[in-house]
Amino acid sequence: MELRHLRYFVAVAEQGNVSRAARKLFIAQPPLSQQLKQLEDEVGTPLFTRLPRGMQLTAAGESLLEDARAILARAQQAPLRARERKRHGQAVLRLGLVPSAMQSLLPGLLRAVEQAGWEVQIEAREMISSRQQQALRQGELELGFARPGNQDADALEVASIEDPYCLAVPPSHALASGDEPLDLQAAARLPFVGFARYQDADYFDRTVALCAEAGFTPLIRHEAGQLVNVLALVACGLGVAIVPSSFATLYRGQLVFRPLQAARHSSRLAVLAAPQALQGNPVLASVARAAARELHGLAGRLHLAR
């Protein structure tokens, strides 16, 4: 499989027609059809359903399209990053982030790196927790802020804190009063604002599991692709949402965050790094320690927010 196969595939997928894609690519239609056939042979399954007036992606084709776009984008950026690194002479640290860490942890880490004067260029990438763990093991990331779930700490964890889920409600809501932990069953009949599952299946599945443990299936009437937008919809009065407690440190006064009664499904926020990368890279080890300090600082702010 070569990059040209992916470029041709993406063009046909976006145009929905081989003839139009061939014109866009400035090549003849027969060679383009041949390249698509080679790609399907390589993948081992049909990527398109041939229709009388066009091409429709199969399920396998939809999956490959997402990866192909990412691969082509990375290939386009690779020489630019290489030239930039040569100019600045800095080490590059690829950092994975769950959405909540972008506001609660990343700003402080960037300040710490700048104040310490470390020669490192951080490349931040939003990425769900399970994908971060995979990327760290495969050498695609050096560091990550993730929510690894309820399992015991594995070799990737540098530090972790408890960041339990809570229920976000508008200040005028009936559930906004009270400081005691809330039985989630009290929200069983309320409309929920959900985080789109295609954006972060880990988070979506955990919040649904919390509701199932409380004895109900949430009525997810609204969805958003970013947690900040989830909270914006809650602030508009459209529903309630289950979010990590760390958001209470960012939106205090705008929303009310009710802690939930103890549940089997809890939430941790962790700094992850590959042990072999830490051992062989003193700068990375220093940044990882700074990330751990930011994490523990957040734990202190969580305590004050409760």
Side-chain angles (χ1 to χ4, degrees), residues 14-62:
E14 291 177 345
Q15 296 295 320
N17 183 282
V18 176
S19 298
R20 288 197 297 268
R23 288 195 295 271
K24 180 180 178 181
L25 295 166
F26 300 103
I27 62 174
Q29 181 174 334
L32 178 56
S33 297
Q34 184 180 15
Q35 295 288 330
L36 287 179
K37 181 63 168 60
Q38 289 177 3
L39 180 60
E40 289 182 318
D41 290 343
E42 175 75 19
V43 175
T45 187
L47 302 173
F48 292 97
T49 299
R50 275 70 175 174
L51 303 174
R53 294 193 176 185
M55 308 275 280
Q56 181 177 327
L57 286 170
T58 62
E62 290 176 354

CSV table of all heavy atoms in Angstrom, one decimal, residues 14-62:
chain,number,residue,atom,x,y,z
A,14,GLU,N,-14.7,10.9,-1.6
A,14,GLU,CA,-15.2,12.2,-1.4
A,14,GLU,C,-16.1,12.7,-2.6
A,14,GLU,O,-17.1,13.4,-2.5
A,14,GLU,CB,-14.1,13.3,-1.2
A,14,GLU,CG,-13.4,13.1,0.1
A,14,GLU,CD,-12.3,14.0,0.3
A,14,GLU,OE1,-11.8,14.6,-0.7
A,14,GLU,OE2,-11.8,14.2,1.5
A,15,GLN,N,-15.7,12.2,-3.8
A,15,GLN,CA,-16.5,12.5,-5.0
A,15,GLN,C,-17.7,11.6,-5.3
A,15,GLN,O,-18.6,12.0,-5.9
A,15,GLN,CB,-15.6,12.5,-6.3
A,15,GLN,CG,-14.4,13.5,-6.2
A,15,GLN,CD,-14.9,15.0,-6.3
A,15,GLN,OE1,-15.9,15.3,-7.0
A,15,GLN,NE2,-14.3,15.8,-5.5
A,16,GLY,N,-17.5,10.4,-4.7
A,16,GLY,CA,-18.6,9.4,-4.9
A,16,GLY,C,-18.7,8.9,-6.3
A,16,GLY,O,-19.7,8.3,-6.7
A,17,ASN,N,-17.7,9.1,-7.1
A,17,ASN,CA,-17.8,8.8,-8.5
A,17,ASN,C,-16.3,8.7,-9.1
A,17,ASN,O,-15.5,9.6,-8.9
A,17,ASN,CB,-18.6,9.9,-9.3
A,17,ASN,CG,-18.7,9.6,-10.8
A,17,ASN,OD1,-17.8,9.8,-11.5
A,17,ASN,ND2,-19.9,9.1,-11.1
A,18,VAL,N,-16.0,7.7,-9.8
A,18,VAL,CA,-14.6,7.5,-10.3
A,18,VAL,C,-14.3,8.5,-11.4
A,18,VAL,O,-13.2,9.1,-11.4
A,18,VAL,CB,-14.5,6.0,-10.9
A,18,VAL,CG1,-13.1,5.9,-11.5
A,18,VAL,CG2,-14.6,5.0,-9.8
A,19,SER,N,-15.2,8.8,-12.3
A,19,SER,CA,-15.0,9.8,-13.3
A,19,SER,C,-14.7,11.2,-12.8
A,19,SER,O,-13.7,11.8,-13.2
A,19,SER,CB,-16.2,9.9,-14.3
A,19,SER,OG,-16.4,8.6,-14.9
A,20,ARG,N,-15.5,11.6,-11.8
A,20,ARG,CA,-15.2,12.9,-11.2
A,20,ARG,C,-13.9,12.9,-10.5
A,20,ARG,O,-13.1,13.9,-10.5
A,20,ARG,CB,-16.4,13.3,-10.3
A,20,ARG,CG,-17.6,13.7,-11.0
A,20,ARG,CD,-18.6,14.5,-10.1
A,20,ARG,NE,-19.0,13.7,-9.0
A,20,ARG,CZ,-20.1,12.9,-9.0
A,20,ARG,NH1,-20.9,12.9,-10.0
A,20,ARG,NH2,-20.4,12.2,-7.9
A,21,ALA,N,-13.6,11.8,-9.8
A,21,ALA,CA,-12.3,11.8,-9.0
A,21,ALA,C,-11.2,11.8,-10.0
A,21,ALA,O,-10.1,12.4,-9.7
A,21,ALA,CB,-12.3,10.5,-8.2
A,22,ALA,N,-11.3,11.1,-11.1
A,22,ALA,CA,-10.2,11.1,-12.1
A,22,ALA,C,-9.9,12.5,-12.6
A,22,ALA,O,-8.8,12.9,-12.8
A,22,ALA,CB,-10.5,10.1,-13.2
A,23,ARG,N,-11.0,13.2,-12.9
A,23,ARG,CA,-10.8,14.6,-13.4
A,23,ARG,C,-10.1,15.4,-12.3
A,23,ARG,O,-9.2,16.3,-12.6
A,23,ARG,CB,-12.1,15.2,-13.8
A,23,ARG,CG,-12.7,14.6,-15.1
A,23,ARG,CD,-13.8,15.5,-15.6
A,23,ARG,NE,-15.0,15.5,-14.7
A,23,ARG,CZ,-16.0,14.7,-14.8
A,23,ARG,NH1,-16.0,13.7,-15.6
A,23,ARG,NH2,-17.0,14.8,-13.9
A,24,LYS,N,-10.5,15.3,-11.1
A,24,LYS,CA,-9.9,16.0,-10.0
A,24,LYS,C,-8.4,15.7,-9.8
A,24,LYS,O,-7.6,16.6,-9.5
A,24,LYS,CB,-10.6,15.8,-8.7
A,24,LYS,CG,-10.1,16.5,-7.5
A,24,LYS,CD,-10.8,16.2,-6.2
A,24,LYS,CE,-10.2,16.9,-5.0
A,24,LYS,NZ,-11.0,16.6,-3.8
A,25,LEU,N,-8.1,14.4,-10.1
A,25,LEU,CA,-6.7,14.0,-9.9
A,25,LEU,C,-5.8,14.1,-11.2
A,25,LEU,O,-4.6,13.9,-11.1
A,25,LEU,CB,-6.7,12.5,-9.5
A,25,LEU,CG,-7.3,12.2,-8.1
A,25,LEU,CD1,-7.5,10.7,-8.0
A,25,LEU,CD2,-6.4,12.6,-7.0
A,26,PHE,N,-6.5,14.5,-12.3
A,26,PHE,CA,-5.8,14.7,-13.6
A,26,PHE,C,-5.2,13.4,-14.1
A,26,PHE,O,-4.1,13.4,-14.5
A,26,PHE,CB,-4.7,15.8,-13.5
A,26,PHE,CG,-5.3,17.2,-13.1
A,26,PHE,CD1,-5.1,17.6,-11.8
A,26,PHE,CD2,-6.0,17.9,-14.0
A,26,PHE,CE1,-5.6,18.9,-11.4
A,26,PHE,CE2,-6.5,19.2,-13.6
A,26,PHE,CZ,-6.3,19.6,-12.3
A,27,ILE,N,-5.9,12.3,-13.9
A,27,ILE,CA,-5.5,11.1,-14.4
A,27,ILE,C,-6.7,10.4,-15.2
A,27,ILE,O,-7.8,10.9,-15.0
A,27,ILE,CB,-5.0,10.1,-13.3
A,27,ILE,CG1,-6.1,9.7,-12.4
A,27,ILE,CG2,-3.8,10.6,-12.6
A,27,ILE,CD1,-5.7,8.7,-11.4
A,28,ALA,N,-6.4,9.4,-16.0
A,28,ALA,CA,-7.5,8.8,-16.8
A,28,ALA,C,-8.2,7.8,-15.8
A,28,ALA,O,-7.7,7.4,-14.8
A,28,ALA,CB,-6.9,8.0,-17.9
A,29,GLN,N,-9.5,7.5,-16.2
A,29,GLN,CA,-10.3,6.7,-15.3
A,29,GLN,C,-9.8,5.3,-15.2
A,29,GLN,O,-9.8,4.7,-14.1
A,29,GLN,CB,-11.8,6.7,-15.8
A,29,GLN,CG,-12.7,5.9,-15.0
A,29,GLN,CD,-14.2,6.1,-15.4
A,29,GLN,OE1,-14.5,7.1,-16.0
A,29,GLN,NE2,-15.0,5.1,-15.1
A,30,PRO,N,-9.4,4.6,-16.3
A,30,PRO,CA,-9.0,3.2,-16.2
A,30,PRO,C,-7.8,3.0,-15.2
A,30,PRO,O,-7.9,2.1,-14.3
A,30,PRO,CB,-8.6,2.8,-17.6
A,30,PRO,CG,-9.4,3.7,-18.4
A,30,PRO,CD,-9.5,5.0,-17.7
A,31,PRO,N,-6.7,3.8,-15.2
A,31,PRO,CA,-5.7,3.6,-14.2
A,31,PRO,C,-6.2,3.8,-12.8
A,31,PRO,O,-5.7,3.2,-11.8
A,31,PRO,CB,-4.6,4.7,-14.6
A,31,PRO,CG,-4.9,5.0,-16.0
A,31,PRO,CD,-6.4,4.8,-16.2
A,32,LEU,N,-7.1,4.8,-12.6
A,32,LEU,CA,-7.7,5.0,-11.3
A,32,LEU,C,-8.4,3.8,-10.8
A,32,LEU,O,-8.3,3.4,-9.6
A,32,LEU,CB,-8.6,6.3,-11.3
A,32,LEU,CG,-9.3,6.6,-9.9
A,32,LEU,CD1,-8.3,6.8,-8.8
A,32,LEU,CD2,-10.1,7.9,-10.1
A,33,SER,N,-9.3,3.2,-11.6
A,33,SER,CA,-10.0,2.0,-11.2
A,33,SER,C,-9.0,0.9,-10.9
A,33,SER,O,-9.3,0.1,-10.0
A,33,SER,CB,-10.9,1.6,-12.4
A,33,SER,OG,-11.9,2.6,-12.6
A,34,GLN,N,-7.9,0.8,-11.6
A,34,GLN,CA,-7.0,-0.3,-11.4
A,34,GLN,C,-6.3,-0.1,-10.0
A,34,GLN,O,-6.1,-1.0,-9.3
A,34,GLN,CB,-5.9,-0.2,-12.5
A,34,GLN,CG,-4.9,-1.4,-12.3
A,34,GLN,CD,-3.9,-1.3,-13.5
A,34,GLN,OE1,-3.7,-0.3,-14.2
A,34,GLN,NE2,-3.1,-2.4,-13.6
A,35,GLN,N,-6.0,1.2,-9.7
A,35,GLN,CA,-5.4,1.5,-8.4
A,35,GLN,C,-6.3,1.2,-7.2
A,35,GLN,O,-5.9,0.6,-6.2
A,35,GLN,CB,-5.0,3.0,-8.3
A,35,GLN,CG,-3.9,3.4,-9.3
A,35,GLN,CD,-2.5,2.9,-8.9
A,35,GLN,OE1,-2.2,2.7,-7.7
A,35,GLN,NE2,-1.7,2.6,-9.9
A,36,LEU,N,-7.6,1.4,-7.4
A,36,LEU,CA,-8.6,1.1,-6.4
A,36,LEU,C,-8.7,-0.4,-6.2
A,36,LEU,O,-8.8,-0.9,-5.1
A,36,LEU,CB,-10.0,1.6,-6.8
A,36,LEU,CG,-10.2,3.2,-6.6
A,36,LEU,CD1,-11.6,3.5,-7.1
A,36,LEU,CD2,-9.9,3.6,-5.2
A,37,LYS,N,-8.6,-1.1,-7.3
A,37,LYS,CA,-8.7,-2.6,-7.2
A,37,LYS,C,-7.4,-3.1,-6.5
A,37,LYS,O,-7.5,-4.0,-5.6
A,37,LYS,CB,-8.7,-3.2,-8.6
A,37,LYS,CG,-8.8,-4.7,-8.6
A,37,LYS,CD,-10.1,-5.2,-8.0
A,37,LYS,CE,-10.3,-6.7,-8.3
A,37,LYS,NZ,-9.2,-7.6,-7.8
A,38,GLN,N,-6.3,-2.5,-6.7
A,38,GLN,CA,-5.1,-3.0,-6.0
A,38,GLN,C,-5.2,-2.7,-4.5
A,38,GLN,O,-4.8,-3.5,-3.7
A,38,GLN,CB,-3.8,-2.2,-6.6
A,38,GLN,CG,-3.4,-2.6,-8.0
A,38,GLN,CD,-2.3,-1.8,-8.5
A,38,GLN,OE1,-1.8,-0.9,-7.8
A,38,GLN,NE2,-1.9,-2.0,-9.7
A,39,LEU,N,-5.8,-1.5,-4.2
A,39,LEU,CA,-5.9,-1.2,-2.7
A,39,LEU,C,-6.9,-2.2,-2.1
A,39,LEU,O,-6.7,-2.7,-1.0
A,39,LEU,CB,-6.5,0.2,-2.6
A,39,LEU,CG,-6.7,0.7,-1.2
A,39,LEU,CD1,-5.4,0.6,-0.3
A,39,LEU,CD2,-7.3,2.1,-1.2
A,40,GLU,N,-8.0,-2.5,-2.7
A,40,GLU,CA,-8.9,-3.5,-2.2
A,40,GLU,C,-8.3,-4.9,-2.0
A,40,GLU,O,-8.6,-5.6,-1.0
A,40,GLU,CB,-10.2,-3.6,-3.1
A,40,GLU,CG,-11.1,-2.3,-3.0
A,40,GLU,CD,-12.3,-2.4,-3.8
A,40,GLU,OE1,-12.3,-2.9,-4.9
A,40,GLU,OE2,-13.4,-2.0,-3.3
A,41,ASP,N,-7.5,-5.2,-3.0
A,41,ASP,CA,-6.8,-6.5,-2.9
A,41,ASP,C,-5.8,-6.5,-1.7
A,41,ASP,O,-5.7,-7.5,-0.9
A,41,ASP,CB,-6.0,-6.8,-4.1
A,41,ASP,CG,-6.9,-7.1,-5.3
A,41,ASP,OD1,-8.1,-7.5,-5.1
A,41,ASP,OD2,-6.4,-7.1,-6.5
A,42,GLU,N,-5.2,-5.4,-1.4
A,42,GLU,CA,-4.2,-5.2,-0.3
A,42,GLU,C,-5.0,-5.3,1.0
A,42,GLU,O,-4.6,-6.0,1.9
A,42,GLU,CB,-3.5,-3.9,-0.4
A,42,GLU,CG,-2.6,-3.6,0.7
A,42,GLU,CD,-1.3,-4.4,0.7
A,42,GLU,OE1,-0.9,-4.9,-0.3
A,42,GLU,OE2,-0.7,-4.5,1.8
A,43,VAL,N,-6.1,-4.6,1.1
A,43,VAL,CA,-6.9,-4.6,2.3
A,43,VAL,C,-7.6,-5.9,2.6
A,43,VAL,O,-7.7,-6.4,3.7
A,43,VAL,CB,-7.9,-3.4,2.3
A,43,VAL,CG1,-8.8,-3.5,3.5
A,43,VAL,CG2,-7.2,-2.1,2.2
A,44,GLY,N,-8.0,-6.6,1.5
A,44,GLY,CA,-8.6,-7.9,1.6
A,44,GLY,C,-10.1,-7.9,1.7
A,44,GLY,O,-10.7,-8.9,2.0
A,45,THR,N,-10.7,-6.7,1.4
A,45,THR,CA,-12.2,-6.6,1.4
A,45,THR,C,-12.6,-5.5,0.5
A,45,THR,O,-11.9,-4.5,0.3
A,45,THR,CB,-12.7,-6.4,2.9
A,45,THR,OG1,-14.1,-6.5,2.9
A,45,THR,CG2,-12.2,-5.1,3.4
A,46,PRO,N,-13.9,-5.5,-0.1
A,46,PRO,CA,-14.3,-4.4,-0.9
A,46,PRO,C,-14.5,-3.1,-0.1
A,46,PRO,O,-14.9,-3.2,1.1
A,46,PRO,CB,-15.7,-4.9,-1.4
A,46,PRO,CG,-15.6,-6.4,-1.3
A,46,PRO,CD,-14.8,-6.7,-0.1
A,47,LEU,N,-14.0,-2.0,-0.6
A,47,LEU,CA,-14.1,-0.7,0.0
A,47,LEU,C,-15.3,0.1,-0.5
A,47,LEU,O,-15.7,1.0,0.2
A,47,LEU,CB,-12.8,0.0,-0.2
A,47,LEU,CG,-11.6,-0.7,0.3
A,47,LEU,CD1,-10.3,0.1,-0.1
A,47,LEU,CD2,-11.6,-0.8,1.8
A,48,PHE,N,-15.8,-0.3,-1.7
A,48,PHE,CA,-16.9,0.4,-2.3
A,48,PHE,C,-18.0,-0.6,-2.7
A,48,PHE,O,-17.7,-1.7,-3.1
A,48,PHE,CB,-16.5,1.2,-3.5
A,48,PHE,CG,-15.6,2.4,-3.2
A,48,PHE,CD1,-14.2,2.3,-3.3
A,48,PHE,CD2,-16.1,3.6,-2.8
A,48,PHE,CE1,-13.4,3.3,-3.0
A,48,PHE,CE2,-15.3,4.7,-2.5
A,48,PHE,CZ,-13.9,4.5,-2.6
A,49,THR,N,-19.2,-0.1,-2.7
A,49,THR,CA,-20.3,-0.8,-3.4
A,49,THR,C,-20.5,0.0,-4.7
A,49,THR,O,-20.8,1.2,-4.7
A,49,THR,CB,-21.6,-0.7,-2.6
A,49,THR,OG1,-21.4,-1.4,-1.3
A,49,THR,CG2,-22.7,-1.4,-3.3
A,50,ARG,N,-20.4,-0.8,-5.8
A,50,ARG,CA,-20.5,-0.1,-7.1
A,50,ARG,C,-22.0,0.0,-7.4
A,50,ARG,O,-22.8,-0.9,-7.5
A,50,ARG,CB,-19.8,-0.9,-8.2
A,50,ARG,CG,-18.4,-0.7,-8.4
A,50,ARG,CD,-17.5,-1.2,-7.3
A,50,ARG,NE,-16.1,-1.0,-7.5
A,50,ARG,CZ,-15.1,-1.2,-6.6
A,50,ARG,NH1,-15.4,-1.6,-5.4
A,50,ARG,NH2,-13.8,-1.1,-7.0
A,51,LEU,N,-22.4,1.3,-7.6
A,51,LEU,CA,-23.8,1.6,-8.0
A,51,LEU,C,-23.9,2.0,-9.4
A,51,LEU,O,-22.9,2.4,-10.0
A,51,LEU,CB,-24.3,2.7,-7.1
A,51,LEU,CG,-24.2,2.4,-5.5
A,51,LEU,CD1,-24.6,3.6,-4.7
A,51,LEU,CD2,-25.1,1.2,-5.2
A,52,PRO,N,-25.1,2.0,-10.0
A,52,PRO,CA,-25.2,2.4,-11.4
A,52,PRO,C,-24.7,3.8,-11.7
A,52,PRO,O,-24.1,4.1,-12.7
A,52,PRO,CB,-26.8,2.4,-11.7
A,52,PRO,CG,-27.3,1.4,-10.7
A,52,PRO,CD,-26.4,1.5,-9.5
A,53,ARG,N,-24.8,4.7,-10.7
A,53,ARG,CA,-24.4,6.1,-10.9
A,53,ARG,C,-23.3,6.6,-9.9
A,53,ARG,O,-23.2,7.8,-9.6
A,53,ARG,CB,-25.6,7.0,-10.9
A,53,ARG,CG,-26.5,6.8,-12.0
A,53,ARG,CD,-27.5,7.9,-12.1
A,53,ARG,NE,-28.4,7.8,-13.2
A,53,ARG,CZ,-29.3,8.7,-13.6
A,53,ARG,NH1,-29.4,9.8,-12.9
A,53,ARG,NH2,-30.1,8.5,-14.7
A,54,GLY,N,-22.5,5.7,-9.4
A,54,GLY,CA,-21.5,6.1,-8.5
A,54,GLY,C,-21.0,5.0,-7.6
A,54,GLY,O,-21.2,3.8,-7.8
A,55,MET,N,-20.3,5.5,-6.6
A,55,MET,CA,-19.6,4.5,-5.6
A,55,MET,C,-20.0,4.9,-4.2
A,55,MET,O,-20.1,6.0,-3.8
A,55,MET,CB,-18.1,4.7,-5.7
A,55,MET,CG,-17.6,4.6,-7.2
A,55,MET,SD,-17.3,2.9,-7.7
A,55,MET,CE,-15.7,2.5,-6.9
A,56,GLN,N,-20.4,3.9,-3.4
A,56,GLN,CA,-20.8,4.1,-2.0
A,56,GLN,C,-19.8,3.3,-1.1
A,56,GLN,O,-19.6,2.1,-1.4
A,56,GLN,CB,-22.2,3.6,-1.8
A,56,GLN,CG,-22.7,3.9,-0.4
A,56,GLN,CD,-24.2,3.5,-0.3
A,56,GLN,OE1,-24.9,3.6,-1.2
A,56,GLN,NE2,-24.5,3.0,0.9
A,57,LEU,N,-19.3,3.9,-0.1
A,57,LEU,CA,-18.4,3.2,0.8
A,57,LEU,C,-19.1,2.1,1.5
A,57,LEU,O,-20.2,2.2,2.0
A,57,LEU,CB,-17.8,4.2,1.8
A,57,LEU,CG,-16.8,5.2,1.3
A,57,LEU,CD1,-16.5,6.3,2.4
A,57,LEU,CD2,-15.5,4.5,1.0
A,58,THR,N,-18.3,1.0,1.7
A,58,THR,CA,-18.8,-0.1,2.6
A,58,THR,C,-18.4,0.3,4.0
A,58,THR,O,-17.7,1.3,4.2
A,58,THR,CB,-18.1,-1.4,2.2
A,58,THR,OG1,-16.7,-1.3,2.3
A,58,THR,CG2,-18.4,-1.8,0.7
A,59,ALA,N,-18.7,-0.6,4.9
A,59,ALA,CA,-18.3,-0.3,6.3
A,59,ALA,C,-16.8,-0.3,6.4
A,59,ALA,O,-16.2,0.5,7.1
A,59,ALA,CB,-18.9,-1.3,7.3
A,60,ALA,N,-16.2,-1.2,5.7
A,60,ALA,CA,-14.7,-1.3,5.7
A,60,ALA,C,-14.1,0.0,5.1
A,60,ALA,O,-13.1,0.5,5.5
A,60,ALA,CB,-14.2,-2.5,5.0
A,61,GLY,N,-14.8,0.5,4.0
A,61,GLY,CA,-14.3,1.7,3.4
A,61,GLY,C,-14.4,2.9,4.3
A,61,GLY,O,-13.5,3.8,4.3
A,62,GLU,N,-15.5,3.0,5.1
A,62,GLU,CA,-15.7,4.1,6.0
A,62,GLU,C,-14.6,4.1,7.0
A,62,GLU,O,-14.0,5.1,7.4
A,62,GLU,CB,-17.0,4.0,6.6
A,62,GLU,CG,-18.2,4.3,5.7
A,62,GLU,CD,-19.5,4.2,6.3
A,62,GLU,OE1,-19.6,3.7,7.5
A,62,GLU,OE2,-20.6,4.5,5.7
